[in-house]
């Protein structure tokens, strides 16, 4: 599945055959402001291509364990990564993906009270991996 930010500086190539993922809308202030709703599938690879690295911005919040990747030119939040035991896991903002079948309405999720250890295990179990980022 292909996706990108509005100006196509950051592109996503998600190797999945499952088009039925239900987006999860994080309820933190940052994700709500960005209208982000995330999709992922365990053990599905994601390749990210960044055309102009000067316009690639990484933001961290809360526990500092996740990196929010956005384009500073168009302001689009494209994907989120977390490195655990040397493996980069990620979720993709569904609003950036071209899903020929469309996604279901996002489900609101609040992980603010989840302990850090449980949060990392959830990411290992549910997020895409491996995630590779290539500058082109």
């Amino acid at each position: 599945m292909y996706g990108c930010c509005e100006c196509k500086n950051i592109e996503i190539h998600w190797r999945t055959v499952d088009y039925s993922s239900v987006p999860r809308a994080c309820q933190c202030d940052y994700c709500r402001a960005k209208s982000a709703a995330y999709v992922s599938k365990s053990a599905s690879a994601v390749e990210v291509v960044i055309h102009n690295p000067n316009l690639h911005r990484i933001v961290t919040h809360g526990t500092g364990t996740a990196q929010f990747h956005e384009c500073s030119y168009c302001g689009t939040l494209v994907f989120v990564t977390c490195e655990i035991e040397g493996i980069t896991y990620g979720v993709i903002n569904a609003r950036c993906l071209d899903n020929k079948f469309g996604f279901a309405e996002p489900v609101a999720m609040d992980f603010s009270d989840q302990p850090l250890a449980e949060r990392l295990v959830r990411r290992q179990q549910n997020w895409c991996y491996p995630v590779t980022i290539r500058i082109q």
Side-chain angles (χ1 to χ4, degrees):
M1 190 179 310
Y2 172 80
C4 61
C5 64
E6 290 177 24
C7 70
K8 298 187 180 180
N9 179 51
I10 301 174
E11 294 183 10
I12 296 281
H13 302 276
W14 183 22
R15 292 182 188 94
T16 185
V17 294
D18 183 1
Y19 290 86
S20 65
S21 297
V22 175
R24 299 171 308 278
C26 176
Q27 297 301 293
C28 78
D29 292 339
Y30 173 77
C31 290
R32 286 190 340 199
K34 293 289 186 176
S35 297
Y38 304 104
V39 291
S40 62
K41 178 81 171 168
S42 180
S44 63
V46 174
E47 180 184 7
V48 178
V49 178
I50 300 172
H51 295 283
N52 183 344
N54 294 325
L55 300 176
H56 172 228
R57 178 174 45 219
I58 299 174
V59 179
T60 57
H61 300 281
T63 63
T65 59
Q67 295 77 43
F68 296 79
H69 299 260
E70 54 184 59
C71 178
S72 60
Y73 182 76
C74 64
T76 305
L77 170 59
V78 184
F79 66 105
V80 182
T81 59
C82 177
E83 188 168 320
I84 305 169
E85 298 174 3
I87 299 173
T88 303
Y89 296 84
V91 291
I92 306 163
N93 185 353
R95 300 185 196 303
C96 297
L97 290 169
D98 293 332
N99 181 346
K100 60 186 173 185
F101 301 109
F103 288 107
E105 283 298 310
V107 174
M109 304 294 285
D110 185 355
F111 300 111
S112 60
D113 292 333
Q114 187 177 43
L116 180 58
E118 288 178 25
R119 191 177 296 216
L120 296 176
V121 168
R122 174 179 49 80
R123 291 173 183 167
Q124 284 179 300
Q125 292 174 345
N126 299 318
W127 285 23
C128 303
Y129 72 87
V131 175
T132 56
I133 300 173
R134 181 169 50 95
I135 307 298
Q136 187 171 6

